[in-house]
């Protein structure tokens, strides 16, 4: 293919700083870059056509090159970021949309409440986080309501009768004057300290308060403080890495065309996440695009730690300063405690060896995406299916799916598997990049069900199954592979199988617990649908209901007489 069309553009390009834009015949921008000298940079692009497949794609799909001259390299840096954000060019690396992470906000109001926001600054208040994975933000919000009883209503009404959340112990009832403004704001202040990661400081304050209330014979308030202390101590025990010599930092770990974020707040690791990149052309020199994309909406901490030197670091520092209003420290040395955490929790697969062994064994390349299925039931009841996803060497939990089997009401693993596979395989027809390989937990029988569904839907995918104990892999072309003869393949396929089994069992157990609890409560006089739902939502298990004090059940709307019947029945 000839790329000579570009030479005229390159010859006329200015030797000044600015932004250049590759444009296709449809007038769409497919790549945007910046340079101190636009002409020299475009020449460099052209020279790389011979060795770089990505460069060949850019020139092959483009029909013209535009440029915008700027006053400085930094101005070009900012403009490049803005244009990439606006036009989302095909060949520019950036974070996928939705890559802003939830933060917990204690609002700046007369009676503060707690909210969740994905955009720093959109709510007036104090921000904490981000929380990774995202669902932990909701858990933290619920914990703040439970521990510090900040109001759940928004906006706050003025009324004489408290709401149900007050009786559940999730709100202190400021709307009905159940707490003084001074005490309420003291609780909000302590909640902020707790969210900052300074849990020990919170405990010292709470111990002082419990002594004060005990001396004044205010035993009910002392009991509330005691429950707060127990809950906070539980949170501290669950935190894996404490005492990091950094108060606040975001750690970006770039490795193998992937990027991980570890968040440190209050000298503690509060979360980790793999950031989702927009395309598969992540390359050396693209790191700064990931960083600027991330900080478009996310909170900027006091310190940012990177595991490698990145290009344009000085422009990035200036960009951060403009965004935050003060200098942000950037370090390239990861503290040992965090490095140990990364080594334990981020499994970097040896993809090169696996690719080589896989292609040699199966005569086709290792797929980028593999999905694995399993079926779980209890004597034909609560039958469920699981689908777990392996992508580029990692289990992608965000892509997991679970299925409640609807058409089979007896023990029939094959029929259940056909239903689950049919429902999932139909989705492949709509997916831009469906999996190239399907793995099923089971033997030849399960494999035949997968092949049957594949052929019925006309899909072009490979289907394998894996037998337990013997660890034999059955392929859709009739081969039997003894996985014990190949450690890389054994690790890959057993990891998938075991994860699918775990995911299916957990879903089955959750359904059994919910339905089992509700079916037992059906036998107790005075328990209707609403009370049954409240009891399940609050306690989850029979054991927890048995331990619940009558006063607590009464607050949930369960009369003492009915509470006694529940405990008599469960103890019988």
């Amino acid at each position: 293919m000839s790329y000579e069309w570009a030479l005229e553009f390159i010859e006329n390009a200015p030797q000044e700083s600015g932004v250049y834009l590759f444009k296709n015949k449809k007038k769409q921008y497919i790549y945007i870059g910046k340079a101190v000298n636009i002409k020299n940079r475009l020449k460099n692009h052209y020279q790389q056509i011979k060795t770089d497949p990505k460069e060949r794609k850019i020139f092959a799909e483009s029909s013209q090159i535009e440029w915008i001259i700027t006053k400085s390299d930094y101005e070009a840096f900012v403009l490049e970021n803005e244009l990439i954000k606006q036009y989302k060019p095909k060949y520019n690396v950036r974070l996928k949309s939705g890559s802003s992470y939830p933060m917990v906000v204690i609002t700046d109001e007369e009676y503060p409440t707690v909210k969740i926001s994905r955009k720093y600054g959109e709510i007036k208040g104090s921000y904490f986080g981000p929380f990774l994975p995202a669902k932990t933000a909701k858990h933290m919000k619920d914990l703040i309501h439970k521990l510090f009883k900040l109001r759940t209503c928004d906006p706050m009404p003025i009324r004489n009768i408290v709401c149900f959340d007050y009786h559940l112990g999730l709100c202190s009832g400021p709307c009905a004057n159940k707490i003084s403004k001074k005490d309420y704001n003291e609780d909000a202040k302590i909640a902020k300290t707790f969210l900052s990661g300074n849990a020990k400081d919170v405990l010292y304050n709470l111990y002082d308060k419990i002594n004060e209330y005990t001396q004044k014979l205010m035993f009910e308030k002392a009991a509330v403080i005691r429950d707060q202390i127990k809950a906070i101590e539980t949170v501290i025990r669950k935190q894996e890495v404490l005492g990091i010599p950094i108060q606040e930092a975001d750690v970006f770990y770039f490795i193998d065309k992937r990027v991980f974020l570890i968040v440190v707040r209050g000298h503690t690791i509060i979360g980790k996440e793999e950031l989702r990149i927009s395309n598969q052309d992540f390359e050396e020199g693209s790191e700064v695009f990931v960083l600027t994309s991330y900080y478009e909406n996310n909170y900027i901490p006091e310190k940012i730690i990177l595991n490698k030197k990145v290009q344009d670091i000085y422009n990035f520092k200036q960009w951060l300063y403009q965004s935050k209003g003060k200098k942000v420290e950037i370090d390239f040395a990861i503290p040992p405690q965090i490095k140990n955490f990364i080594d334990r929790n981020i499994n970097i697969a040896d993809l090169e060896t696996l690719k080589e062994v896989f292609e040699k064994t199966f005569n086709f390349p290792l797929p980028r995406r593999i999905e694995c299925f399993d079926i779980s039931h209890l004597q034909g009841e609560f039958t469920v299916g699981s689908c777990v996803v392996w992508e580029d060497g990692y289990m992608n939990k965000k892509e997991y799916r679970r299925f409640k089997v609807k058409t089979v009401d007896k023990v029939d693993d094959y029929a259940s598997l056909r239903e689950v596979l049919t429902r999932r395989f139909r989705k492949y027809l709509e997916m831009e990049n469906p999996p190239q390989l399907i793995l099923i937990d089971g033997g030849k029988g399960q494999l035949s069900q997968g092949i049957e569904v594949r052929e019925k839907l006309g899909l072009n995918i490979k289907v394998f199954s894996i037998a337990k104990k013997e660890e034999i892999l059955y392929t859709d072309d009739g081969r039997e592979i003894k996985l014990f003869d190949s450690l890389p393949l054994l690790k890959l396929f057993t990891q998938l199988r075991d994860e699918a089994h775990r995911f299916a069992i957990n879903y089955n157990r959750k359904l059994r617990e919910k339905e089992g609890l509700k079916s037992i409560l059906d036998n107790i006089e005075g328990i209707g649908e609403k009370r049954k739902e409240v009891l399940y939502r609050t306690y989850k298990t029979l054991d927890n209901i048995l331990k619940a004090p009558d006063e607590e059940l009464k607050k949930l709307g369960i009369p003492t007489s009915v509470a006694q019947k529940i405990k008599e029945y469960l103890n019988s």
Side-chain angles (χ1 to χ4, degrees):
M1 179 177 286
S2 174
Y3 307 105
E4 292 184 2
W5 65 266
L7 293 175
E8 184 177 350
F9 287 97
I10 295 172
E11 186 61 32
N12 293 323
Q15 296 190 31
E16 299 175 69
S17 64
V19 174
Y20 54 91
L21 309 94
F22 283 81
K23 204 172 185 178
N24 65 16
K25 291 179 181 179
K26 296 180 180 179
K27 308 300 182 185
Q28 298 169 326
Y29 295 114
I30 66 169
Y31 183 78
I32 296 173
K34 71 99 183 168
V36 176
N37 184 311
I38 295 175
K39 186 170 187 173
N40 288 344
R41 184 70 186 97
L42 289 175
K43 283 183 178 179
N44 183 256
H45 274 291
Y46 193 80
Q47 290 167 358
Q48 290 180 353
I49 290 175
K50 296 178 181 178
T51 58
D52 192 332
K54 178 181 174 182
E55 294 288 358
R56 287 197 291 273
K57 290 178 183 177
I58 292 172
F59 279 90
E61 295 180 28
S62 300
S63 60
Q64 63 183 101
I65 305 171
E66 298 176 355
W67 46 78
I68 302 171
I69 298 172
T70 59
K71 295 177 182 178
S72 66
D73 184 43
Y74 175 69
E75 189 177 310
F77 177 85
V78 174
L79 179 60
E80 178 192 32
N81 275 283
E82 289 299 320
L83 292 174
I84 289 172
K85 180 181 175 183
Q86 180 179 350
Y87 293 111
K88 300 178 175 57
K90 179 179 179 180
Y91 290 107
N92 281 99
V93 170
R94 62 191 182 278
L95 291 187
K96 287 186 178 178
S97 58
S99 291
S100 55
Y101 291 92
M103 293 163 279
V104 170
V105 187
I106 303 294
T107 60
D108 186 7
E109 299 175 88
E110 185 178 9
Y111 288 92
T113 186
V114 55
K115 296 182 178 182
I116 293 175
S117 172
R118 282 184 176 265
K119 185 173 182 181
Y120 181 72
E122 71 173 352
I123 299 172
K124 195 174 181 182
S126 301
Y127 283 72
F128 305 91
F131 289 91
L132 313 173
K135 64 182 179 181
T136 57
K138 176 65 167 60
H139 295 160
M140 184 57 71
K141 181 179 185 294
D142 293 343
L143 182 62
I144 295 301
H145 285 306
K146 184 176 180 180
L147 288 180
F148 306 107
K149 307 189 188 311
L150 301 189
R151 61 184 172 86
T152 55
C153 51
D154 184 41
M156 188 182 84
I158 302 299
R159 53 191 172 195
N160 297 321
I161 302 174
V162 292
C163 68
F164 194 51
D165 283 345
Y166 174 83
H167 294 295
L168 286 174
L170 301 176
C171 176
S172 53
C175 60
N177 293 316
K178 293 292 185 181
I179 185 172
S180 70
K181 183 178 177 180
K182 180 183 177 183
D183 286 346
Y184 185 93
N185 279 280
E186 179 64 24
D187 287 338
K189 182 180 177 182
I190 296 174
K192 289 181 183 179
T193 306
F194 174 69
L195 284 167
S196 298
N198 298 317
K200 291 182 180 178
D201 293 345
V202 174
L203 287 176
Y204 294 147
N205 291 334
L206 292 178
Y207 280 124
D208 290 340
K209 287 178 73 173
I210 202 170
N211 289 332
E212 177 188 339
Y213 288 143
T214 302
Q215 289 171 9
K216 292 180 179 179
L217 304 182
M218 300 168 71
F219 298 116
E220 188 172 341
K221 285 192 172 183
V224 172
I225 302 299
R226 180 201 62 215
D227 292 342
Q228 290 178 348
I229 290 172
K230 285 183 178 178
I232 291 170
E233 287 176 338
T234 300
V235 170
I236 291 174
R237 283 196 298 271
K238 287 182 178 179
Q239 291 173 331
E240 182 177 353
V241 183
L242 304 169
I244 293 169
I246 299 168
Q247 165 66 26
E248 176 185 86
D250 288 345
V251 181
F252 291 88
Y253 193 75
F254 295 92
I255 187 165
D256 194 25
K257 296 188 177 183
R258 307 173 82 95
V259 55
F260 296 87
L261 170 66
I262 296 93
V263 178
V264 177
R265 299 292 186 269
H267 303 285
T268 303
I269 291 176
I270 66 169
K272 72 172 178 70
E273 185 85 330
E274 181 179 357
L275 301 185
R276 298 187 302 161
I277 306 299
S278 62
N279 57 47
Q280 297 308 308
D281 292 316
F282 184 78
E283 58 192 8
E284 197 79 19
S286 299
E287 293 85 1
V288 74
F289 295 117
V290 172
L291 297 172
T292 52
S293 295
Y294 177 77
Y295 286 118
E296 284 288 348
N297 293 315
N298 288 298
Y299 171 75
I300 301 174
E302 301 292 326
K303 189 171 189 176
I304 296 172
I305 302 174
L306 310 173
N307 69 319
K308 62 187 295 187
K309 300 280 185 179
V310 301
Q311 295 179 17
D312 268 330
I313 192 66
Y314 295 108
N315 283 329
F316 177 58
K317 281 184 178 181
Q318 191 173 344
W319 183 85
L320 288 172
Y321 179 78
Q322 296 292 334
S323 301
K324 189 175 175 67
K326 64 178 182 181
K327 290 185 178 180
V328 177
E329 183 182 353
I330 296 182
D331 197 353
F332 298 98
I334 298 179
Q337 299 96 322
I338 300 177
K339 186 60 172 68
N340 290 337
F341 174 84
I342 290 171
D343 291 341
R344 290 197 311 273
N345 292 278
I346 297 178
N347 180 27
I348 307 299
D350 183 1
L351 277 184
E352 293 309 313
T353 300
L354 180 59
K355 286 177 181 177
E356 184 180 333
V357 173
F358 190 98
E359 187 160 7
K360 185 177 180 181
T361 305
F362 301 109
N363 298 316
F364 65 92
L366 174 69
R368 280 199 51 249
R369 181 182 177 113
I370 303 173
E371 294 190 358
C372 182
F373 295 83
D374 190 21
I375 298 294
S376 177
H377 61 81
L378 180 66
Q379 297 177 346
E381 295 185 339
F382 309 107
T383 305
V384 299
S386 69
C387 168
V388 300
V389 179
W390 180 94
E391 223 169 25
D392 292 325
Y394 303 86
M395 301 306 300
N396 187 348
K397 294 188 177 182
K398 289 182 179 178
E399 294 292 312
Y400 285 15
R401 296 293 183 268
R402 60 190 189 184
F403 305 85
K404 189 186 292 186
V405 173
K406 301 173 182 177
T407 61
V408 184
D409 56 4
K410 56 183 179 179
V411 179
D412 191 335
D413 285 353
Y414 290 170
S416 300
L417 181 61
R418 282 197 305 274
E419 179 191 325
V420 169
L421 293 178
T422 300
R423 287 162 61 185
R424 182 59 180 165
F425 283 14
R426 281 175 179 158
K427 293 290 183 183
Y428 297 165
L429 300 172
E430 305 167 9
M431 290 171 63
E432 186 176 340
N433 294 303
Q436 297 87 39
L437 172 62
I438 298 304
L439 180 68
I440 302 171
D441 184 4
K444 292 181 179 179
Q446 282 79 7
L447 175 65
S448 67
Q449 307 306 310
I451 294 173
E452 179 183 326
V453 176
R454 178 190 68 182
E455 299 303 315
K456 185 177 179 181
L457 294 176
L459 290 168
N460 182 26
I461 54 175
K462 294 285 186 179
V463 180
F464 293 175
S465 69
I466 179 172
K468 291 185 179 72
K469 294 183 181 178
E470 299 92 348
E471 306 296 15
I472 294 176
L473 190 76
Y474 299 101
T475 69
D476 52 8
D477 58 0
R479 298 174 64 193
E480 297 182 10
I481 310 292
K482 294 181 179 180
L483 293 176
F484 282 120
D485 294 339
S486 173
L487 184 58
L489 296 180
L490 178 68
K491 288 174 65 176
L492 170 66
F493 290 114
T494 56
Q495 178 190 18
L496 274 159
R497 188 266 317 283
D498 294 345
E499 180 67 354
H501 185 67
R502 179 199 67 80
F503 195 52
I505 288 289
N506 284 351
Y507 185 39
N508 175 274
R509 185 179 295 121
K510 185 177 290 186
L511 290 181
R512 282 190 281 123
E513 287 174 353
K514 183 174 182 178
E515 294 303 316
L517 173 58
K518 288 186 175 182
S519 64
I520 289 173
L521 294 175
D522 280 337
N523 298 322
I524 303 173
E525 185 182 350
I527 299 294
E529 287 300 319
K530 287 185 178 179
R531 287 176 179 171
K532 191 162 54 174
E533 188 62 37
V534 166
L535 286 168
Y536 173 73
R537 185 176 55 141
T538 307
Y539 297 109
K540 306 296 185 190
T541 68
L542 296 173
D543 189 50
N544 288 339
I545 295 176
L546 271 172
K547 293 177 182 176
D550 288 351
E551 277 302 309
E552 188 172 281
L553 291 169
K554 191 174 182 181
K555 289 179 181 179
L556 291 170
I558 310 296
T560 303
S561 59
V562 176
Q564 291 301 320
K565 287 179 182 178
I566 293 173
K567 296 190 176 183
E568 285 173 10
Y569 183 86
L570 296 180
N571 281 316
S572 61

